[in-house]
């Protein structure tokens, strides 16, 4: 007896662990097929139905659909005896039916009906076969009166009638399940609500009803602790809320699903994290978009599920492209996505990706090469449906727009627009806004401002325009401001500019490398998964516990020794420690105050610099509408002066340099800017810079910046008429007694002999004289082998300069 007891004691835990592992693997496989099938349908914008997606994802993952088809009917029986489901050999169960009776016969009829209900597409023969076997099962069950079988029959009949487009008949059968007072199986009721939410036609008018059905299913599944079905339902609720533009609710439900998947150690969480990344993209939170895109890539790599990894790569590329300063990273991810599409012979889905290349100017080899690649792709992998065809036409139109071949571009854009009604019937209005934005943007750059304004105004006024990213909304407001400014509608122009600035100020962009490293570090989900998808062995956990206990005992022993050996010393030092804590707190408070002050100063300088750049950009865009040469020259001078002030604000960083502005660094950057600002005149001028490192106060830096800008820009524009070997010299020297000498000279034609700077009425010389007075300096103008300006001033701290 003892022998058998010991055997049972050893075997039973192992059997339980094996059964738990099997259940975990089955749950993971079921959850993977459900999420990946829904993702495939959504990513293809409903151009394929959910059952077709289930067939494709089952083939990719080498899994059986039987667990999905038999859900709640008899999973164990289906997995063991229904290999015919994946082999599509319906003759096998037909033969078996002749040998069965009672409950087993009803179950097999029900599984046959479910098999036809899950056939891909909407073929009439499959729908007729489904109804035939389900009604036979209903009739056979009338003698058994098994409520669990009849409820499953009604669920499948409801699904069958939905596929046939007969919503009223489908509702009739679903109501028999959800409103039955005698049915106590919550799992079947949840299934009925879930099927209604998943298989109702994808139309704007049905979205609210679908969400309500799925929410009822979620409540029941939560009570049943059915995690695999629950996180699938929550993700689908998030998809539908996203489609109806309820971004807040979409994010809430997606995060609920994602957290549940992490809690149950589900290894295939990348489908839900990709949805969260897309939600952050629409919100304009590109840091969040990148974080969840990298988490999707990381989870896909760890689980080995690369079915949709090209989409995850594209999402990461979009996030980097939106950051503007990380476009090399965007190119890397776009190239990886394109390589993934081509390696899977899926070039038909790469047209959207090529549009991103072209739209962001990220094609390093130029738009001609991208046009050639796009044309070749349309021959080797022509679009297979109207959605892919629309993406291809948009990409072609964008290529020709970048090449400024506007007539050709318009042809392709209008062909893409003509496909909108067809695609709306397939996927609703989810991408309507993007198409309208592309047309509005195109007509602006083509110079047809009236048409451009018509599309753009429709975009911001039409509540049914579909999802619209914040990035595109920013561009829309800017283009409308430009159009109305050109048409002298100044009131509406300023309104759009105000909205543009408000959005620009609120957007969060991808920051420097340290921030990206933090995002990448946080993207790794701490889930220990073995190669077969189950949790890792408990041996590691046991070793960790043992090590922890040993360390705890050692620490307790050391604590006891310390207490008994040093009791008096502890009491003696308590007062000193209290004083040290107070002193440390005071030092910390002082440090935090200083840090807060530095951050505030830095933020002020950043905002001033940003506003100056916006004004510079405004002037640049405004100059495109002006034909008067004097007005254009005045705008260029104003831009140059504001850039000088912007560069000063850029150089001042209290956390990096508490001594003020590095004047030498500023002069170097100012020279580089002037070379770019006057490319034709500065291209043949050599700049000789002798600059000693020197820091000056901010109050002195601004007047000096404007003086330097006026002097150098004057030399570039007017000093050299016919001279060869043109040179401009700048020398910065620190003299004794805290004085500084700044000399600027050129070897040009110089000033007229009778020129008097003090009596000159030109704005440039008046600015130089006035600004010199602000730093207590008198400029000396020398006219020998060109013009030279010497400026000697005394360095002062900001507190002295303001007195």
């Amino acid at each position: 007896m003892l022998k058998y007891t010991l055997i049972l004691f050893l075997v039973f835990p192992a059997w339980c662990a094996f059964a738990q592992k099997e259940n975990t693997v089955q749950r993971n496989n079921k959850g993977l097929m459900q999420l990946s099938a829904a993702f495939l349908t959504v990513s293809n914008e409903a151009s394929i139905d959910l059952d077709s997606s289930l067939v494709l994802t089952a083939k990719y993952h080498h899994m059986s659909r039987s667990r999905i088809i038999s859900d709640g009917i008899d999973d164990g029986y289906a997995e063991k005896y229904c290999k015919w489901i994946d082999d599509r050999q319906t003759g096998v169960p037909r033969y078996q039916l002749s040998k069965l009776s009672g409950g087993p016969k009803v179950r097999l009829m029900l599984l046959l009906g479910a098999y036809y209900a899950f056939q891909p597409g909407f073929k009439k023969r499959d729908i007729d076969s489904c109804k035939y076997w389900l009604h036979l099962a209903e009739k056979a069950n009338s003698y058994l009166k098994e409520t669990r079988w009849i409820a499953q029959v009604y669920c499948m009949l409801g699904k069958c009638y939905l596929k046939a487009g007969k919503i009223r008949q489908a509702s009739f059968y679903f109501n028999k399940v959800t409103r039955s007072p005698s049915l106590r199986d919550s799992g079947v009721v949840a299934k009925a609500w879930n099927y209604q939410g998943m298989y109702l036609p994808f139309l704007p008018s049905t979205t609210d009803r679908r969400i309500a059905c799925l929410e009822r299913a979620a409540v029941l599944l939560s009570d049943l602790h059915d995690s695999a079905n629950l996180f699938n339902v929550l993700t689908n609720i998030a998809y539908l809320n996203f489609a109806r533009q309820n971004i807040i609710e979409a994010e809430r439900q997606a995060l609920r699903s994602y957290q549940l998947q992490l809690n149950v150690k589900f290894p295939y969480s990348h489908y839900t994290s990709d949805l969260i990344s897309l939600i952050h993209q629409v919100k304009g939170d590109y840091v969040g978009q990148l974080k969840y895109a990298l988490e999707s890539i990381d989870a896909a790599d760890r689980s080995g599920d690369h079915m949709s990894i090209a989409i995850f790569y594209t999402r990461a590329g979009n996030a980097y492209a939106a950051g503007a300063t990380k476009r090399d990273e965007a190119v890397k991810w776009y190239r990886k996505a394109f390589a993934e599409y081509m390696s899977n012979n899926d070039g038909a889905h790469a047209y959207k990706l090529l549009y991103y290349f072209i739209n962001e100017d990220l094609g390093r080899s130029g738009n001609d090469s991208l046009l050639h690649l796009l044309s070749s792709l349309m021959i080797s992998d022509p679009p297979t449906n109207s959605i892919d065809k629309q993406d291809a036409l948009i990409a072609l139109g964008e290529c020709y727009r970048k090449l400024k071949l506007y007539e050709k571009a318009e042809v392709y854009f209008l062909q893409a627009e003509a496909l909108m009604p067809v695609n709306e019937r397939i996927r609703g209005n989810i991408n309507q806004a993007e198409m309208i934005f592309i047309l509005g943007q195109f007509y602006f750059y083509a110079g047809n401002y009236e048409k451009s304004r018509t599309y753009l105004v429709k975009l911001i006024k039409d509540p049914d325009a579909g999802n619209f990213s914040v990035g595109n909304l920013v561009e829309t407001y800017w283009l409308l401001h430009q159009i109305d400014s050109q048409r002298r509608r100044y009131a509406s122009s300023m309104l759009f500019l105000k909205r543009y600035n408000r959005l620009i100020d609120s957007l969060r962009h991808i920051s420097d490398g340290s921030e990206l490293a933090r995002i990448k570090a946080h993207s790794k989900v701490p889930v220990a998964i073995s190669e077969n998808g189950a949790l890792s062995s408990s041996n590691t956990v046991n070793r960790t516990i043992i090590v922890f206990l040993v360390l705890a005992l050692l620490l307790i022993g050391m604590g006891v020794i310390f207490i008994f050996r040093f009791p008096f010393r502890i009491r003696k030092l308590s007062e000193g420690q209290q004083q040290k804590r107070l002193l440390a707190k005071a030092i910390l408070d002082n440090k935090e105050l200083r840090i807060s002050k530095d951050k505030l100063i830095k933020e002020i300088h950043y905002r001033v610099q940003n506003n100056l750049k916006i004004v510079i950009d405004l002037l640049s865009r405004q100059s495109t509408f002006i034909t008067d040469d004097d007005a254009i020259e005045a705008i260029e001078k104003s831009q140059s002066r504001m850039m000088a002030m912007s560069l000063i604000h850029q150089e001042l960083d209290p956390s990096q340099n508490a001594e003020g502005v590095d004047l030498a660094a500023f002069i170097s950057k100012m020279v580089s800017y002037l070379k770019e600002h006057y490319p034709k005149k500065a291209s043949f001028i050599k700049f000789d810079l002798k600059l000693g490192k020197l820091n000056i106060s901010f109050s002195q830096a601004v007047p000096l910046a404007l003086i330097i800008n006026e002097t150098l820009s004057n030399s570039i524009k007017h000093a050299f008429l016919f001279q060869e070997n043109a040179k401009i010299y700048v020398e910065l020297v620190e003299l004794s007694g805290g004085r500084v000498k700044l000399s600027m000279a050129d070897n040009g034609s110089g000033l007229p002999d009778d020129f008097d700077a003090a009596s000159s009425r030109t704005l440039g010389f008046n600015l130089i004289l006035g600004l010199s007075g602000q730093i207590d300096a008198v400029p000396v103008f020398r006219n020998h082998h060109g013009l030279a300006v010497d400026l000697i001033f005394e360095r002062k701290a900001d507190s002295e300069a303001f007195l």
Side-chain angles (χ1 to χ4, degrees):
M1 184 66 181
L2 180 61
K3 176 181 178 181
Y4 291 111
T5 304
L6 288 172
I7 292 173
L8 182 63
F9 179 77
L10 293 173
V11 171
F12 183 73
W15 180 83
C16 289
F18 176 77
Q20 184 178 5
K21 179 179 177 181
E22 285 295 309
N23 288 337
T24 302
V25 172
Q26 290 170 0
R27 180 200 66 197
N28 289 345
N29 291 347
K30 179 181 178 182
L32 170 60
M33 281 195 291
Q34 287 176 322
L35 284 177
S36 57
F39 182 87
L40 199 60
T41 298
V42 172
S43 62
N44 283 278
E45 297 173 326
S47 60
I48 58 174
D49 66 291
L50 190 58
D51 291 331
S52 298
S53 296
L54 186 61
V55 171
L56 293 173
T57 192
K59 284 183 178 179
Y60 179 86
H61 296 294
H62 305 291
M63 293 179 181
S64 172
R65 290 185 302 146
S66 62
R67 192 167 182 83
I68 304 294
I69 293 174
S70 67
D71 185 27
I73 299 174
D74 196 330
D75 295 339
Y77 174 82
E79 288 182 2
K80 192 172 182 180
Y81 298 108
C82 294
K83 189 174 180 294
W84 57 267
I85 289 178
D86 296 304
D87 294 340
R88 299 189 178 188
Q89 298 294 331
T90 55
V92 174
R94 290 168 189 253
Y95 172 76
Q96 292 174 350
L97 282 172
S98 61
K99 301 180 179 181
L100 297 175
S101 62
K105 187 171 186 176
V106 174
R107 176 181 60 193
L108 192 53
M109 288 178 176
L110 180 54
L111 284 171
L112 263 168
Y115 166 80
Y116 284 110
F118 275 90
Q119 284 302 293
F122 307 93
K123 300 182 182 70
K124 185 178 183 301
R125 65 174 181 272
D126 291 330
I127 295 171
D128 291 341
S129 297
C130 174
K131 290 190 288 187
Y132 171 77
W133 288 110
L134 290 174
H135 284 303
L136 276 182
E138 181 184 19
K139 183 177 179 180
N141 189 65
S142 63
Y143 302 103
L144 299 175
K145 299 189 183 302
E146 284 280 353
T147 56
R148 64 191 180 103
W149 294 133
I150 198 64
Q152 293 287 351
V153 167
Y154 291 154
C155 274
M156 287 300 166
L157 280 171
K159 181 181 187 305
C160 177
Y161 279 109
L162 282 180
K163 292 192 72 169
K166 299 178 180 179
I167 299 176
R168 181 176 296 178
Q169 291 93 324
S171 299
F172 170 76
Y173 283 108
F174 283 130
N175 289 339
K176 282 178 171 286
V177 180
T178 58
R179 298 179 182 179
S180 172
S182 60
L183 184 61
R184 298 180 179 179
D185 189 345
S186 299
V188 183
V189 178
K191 182 177 180 177
W193 287 121
N194 186 23
Y195 278 6
Q196 289 184 83
M198 291 300 297
Y199 292 100
L200 273 167
F202 182 69
L203 298 169
S205 58
T206 64
T207 302
D208 289 340
R209 181 179 172 185
R210 295 178 72 187
I211 292 173
C213 292
L214 290 174
E215 286 176 342
R216 293 194 178 190
V219 172
L220 293 170
L221 292 170
S222 180
D223 293 338
L224 292 169
H225 304 289
D226 185 352
S227 58
N229 279 320
L230 178 56
F231 58 63
N232 176 61
V233 167
L234 292 174
T235 301
N236 288 323
I237 293 173
Y239 280 133
L240 289 169
N241 275 293
F242 183 82
R244 71 170 182 176
Q245 305 174 61
N246 190 345
I247 303 302
I248 295 175
E249 184 63 16
E251 183 177 17
R252 189 178 76 85
Q253 297 291 354
L255 287 172
R256 279 184 64 195
S257 175
Y258 188 54
Q259 189 58 53
L260 177 60
Q261 292 171 47
L262 299 184
N263 291 343
V264 299
K265 308 283 192 296
F266 180 65
Y268 307 106
S269 58
H270 36 279
Y271 295 106
T272 306
S273 57
D274 178 76
L275 171 58
I276 301 172
S277 176
L278 177 61
I279 290 170
H280 281 280
Q281 177 181 343
V282 172
K283 289 167 57 180
D285 179 6
Y286 300 113
V287 173
Q289 178 189 352
L290 178 62
K291 175 182 182 295
Y292 285 102
L294 294 177
E295 286 189 12
S296 301
I297 294 168
D298 182 61
D301 286 337
R302 283 188 290 105
S303 64
D305 174 21
H306 288 173
M307 185 181 76
S308 301
I309 200 165
I311 295 175
F312 306 154
Y313 289 157
T314 304
R315 199 85 67 210
N318 289 345
Y320 277 113
T325 59
K326 298 290 182 181
R327 293 196 165 184
D328 288 339
E329 286 290 324
V331 171
K332 182 183 78 173
W333 289 108
Y334 283 151
R335 291 190 187 283
K336 289 182 72 170
F338 188 75
E340 190 72 25
Y341 278 126
M342 301 313 293
S343 66
N344 293 328
N345 297 318
D346 194 18
H349 289 132
Y351 294 110
K352 190 90 167 180
L353 177 63
L354 289 177
Y355 167 70
Y356 292 139
F357 266 106
I358 302 160
N359 187 49
E360 295 293 342
D361 282 330
L362 296 173
R364 293 300 182 87
S365 54
N367 290 313
D368 287 317
S369 299
L370 285 171
L371 181 60
H372 176 72
L373 175 63
L374 187 55
S375 302
S376 302
L377 189 63
M378 292 192 73
I379 297 172
S380 61
D381 292 276
T384 56
N385 54 62
S386 60
I387 292 174
D388 292 336
K389 184 177 180 181
Q390 186 181 51
D391 289 338
L393 292 169
I394 291 172
L396 280 168
E398 192 67 15
C399 256
Y400 283 114
R401 181 182 78 81
K402 292 289 184 179
L403 295 171
K404 298 185 178 180
L405 300 173
Y406 296 122
E407 290 184 2
K408 283 189 175 182
E410 185 178 23
V411 171
Y412 289 113
F413 282 134
L414 291 178
Q415 288 179 10
E417 183 185 22
L419 291 173
M420 284 175 61
V422 178
N423 290 339
E424 273 190 58
R425 289 194 292 272
I426 299 173
R427 62 186 179 186
N429 62 353
I430 192 168
N431 275 15
Q432 179 182 352
E434 186 177 9
M435 185 72 249
I436 296 172
F437 171 75
I438 288 169
L439 287 164
Q441 185 187 53
F442 161 71
Y443 280 116
F444 176 84
Y445 289 113
N448 191 335
Y449 299 127
E450 288 297 330
K451 275 193 175 182
S452 175
R453 195 179 195 280
T454 301
Y455 281 107
L456 296 175
V457 168
K458 178 183 178 183
L459 195 62
I460 61 176
K461 284 188 175 182
D462 186 0
D464 297 323
N467 291 297
F468 193 34
S469 71
V470 177
N472 285 352
L473 185 59
V474 168
E475 181 71 9
T476 298
Y477 283 140
W478 178 255
L479 294 178
L480 285 170
H481 156 66
Q482 288 289 297
I483 292 169
D484 284 357
S485 176
Q486 189 269 341
R487 298 168 69 197
R488 299 184 180 181
R489 295 181 176 178
Y490 298 117
S492 59
S493 172
M494 292 307 297
L495 175 64
F496 291 129
L497 179 61
K498 188 181 295 183
R499 292 180 181 178
Y500 166 82
N501 286 330
R502 189 182 301 133
L503 277 177
I504 282 289
D505 194 50
S506 65
L507 282 179
R508 296 164 55 201
H509 291 285
I510 299 169
S511 58
D512 57 10
S514 62
E515 175 71 6
L516 295 181
R518 182 187 67 78
I519 292 172
K520 290 178 181 178
H522 287 183
S523 71
K524 298 189 180 298
V525 183
V527 181
I529 304 295
S530 62
E531 291 182 0
N532 60 5
L535 290 176
S536 60
S537 172
S538 62
N539 293 333
T540 304
V541 177
N542 292 335
R543 286 197 297 270
T544 304
I545 293 172
I546 292 170
V547 172
F548 175 78
L549 289 174
V550 171
L551 289 174
L553 290 172
L554 286 173
L555 289 172
I556 291 170
M558 292 174 63
V560 171
I561 294 171
F562 182 80
I563 290 171
F564 282 100
R565 190 174 179 182
F566 302 105
F568 300 105
R569 187 174 179 183
I570 291 173
R571 285 197 298 270
K572 186 177 179 181
L573 293 176
S574 61
E575 293 182 4
Q577 289 175 348
Q578 180 66 20
Q579 291 176 357
K580 287 182 180 179
R581 281 196 293 269
L582 292 173
L583 179 60
K585 186 177 183 302
I587 293 172
L588 182 61
D589 291 343
N590 184 48
K591 183 179 179 181
E592 289 179 351
L593 183 62
R594 187 170 66 254
I595 292 172
S596 176
K597 178 184 174 183
D598 287 346
K599 284 183 177 179
L600 180 60
I601 294 173
K602 186 176 181 180
E603 178 67 18
I604 291 171
H605 284 287
Y606 168 77
R607 286 184 176 274
V608 172
Q609 179 190 350
N610 190 48
N611 289 337
L612 285 170
K613 286 184 177 179
I614 289 175
V615 176
I616 292 170
D617 191 33
L618 285 170
L619 290 172
S620 177
R621 293 176 182 256
Q622 193 65 48
S623 65
T624 60
F625 302 108
I626 297 174
T627 57
D628 184 78
D629 291 339
D630 292 337
I632 293 174
E633 184 179 2
I635 287 176
E636 288 180 348
K637 286 181 179 180
S638 299
Q639 284 180 286
S640 178
R641 289 160 184 157
M642 281 184 283
M643 179 54 72
M645 291 188 287
S646 175
L647 290 174
I648 284 295
H649 285 279
Q650 181 179 334
E651 286 299 315
L652 190 65
D653 185 351
S655 62
Q656 301 294 329
N657 186 0
E659 298 180 0
V661 177
D662 186 344
L663 189 57
F666 163 76
I667 293 173
S668 298
K669 290 183 179 180
M670 193 66 211
V671 168
S672 299
Y673 167 75
L674 291 172
K675 286 180 180 178
E676 294 177 2
H677 195 61
Y678 302 104
K680 293 182 179 179
K681 294 186 177 181
S683 60
F684 63 89
I685 301 174
K686 181 179 179 182
F687 288 83
D688 187 357
L689 306 180
K690 295 180 181 178
L691 308 173
K693 185 170 178 60
L694 185 70
N695 291 324
I696 60 171
S697 65
F698 178 73
S699 57
Q700 289 184 308
V702 173
L704 275 170
L706 293 171
I707 292 171
I708 293 167
N709 170 68
E710 291 299 324
T711 305
L712 296 183
S713 58
N714 181 70
S715 293
I716 291 171
K717 291 190 295 181
H718 305 298
F720 307 106
L721 299 177
F722 308 104
Q723 290 90 335
E724 295 181 357
N725 300 322
K727 288 185 180 181
I728 293 177
Y729 307 88
V730 182
E731 184 177 11
L732 180 64
V733 180
E734 185 173 10
L735 306 177
S736 60
R739 294 180 304 150
V740 178
K741 181 179 180 182
L742 174 64
S743 298
M744 294 169 283
D746 60 60
N747 63 347
S749 57
L751 297 173
D753 294 335
D754 59 347
F755 180 80
D756 181 10
S759 61
S760 174
R761 294 186 178 181
T762 62
L763 177 59
F765 280 98
N766 286 334
L767 274 175
I768 293 173
L769 291 172
L771 293 167
S772 299
Q774 293 185 20
I775 58 174
D776 296 330
V778 177
V780 177
F781 297 91
R782 294 182 287 110
N783 197 19
H784 180 64
H785 302 298
L787 173 65
V789 180
D790 296 330
L791 204 66
I792 298 176
F793 60 93
E794 184 178 346
R795 291 172 63 188
K796 293 181 181 180
D798 278 323
S799 57
E800 298 177 70
F802 286 124
L803 294 176

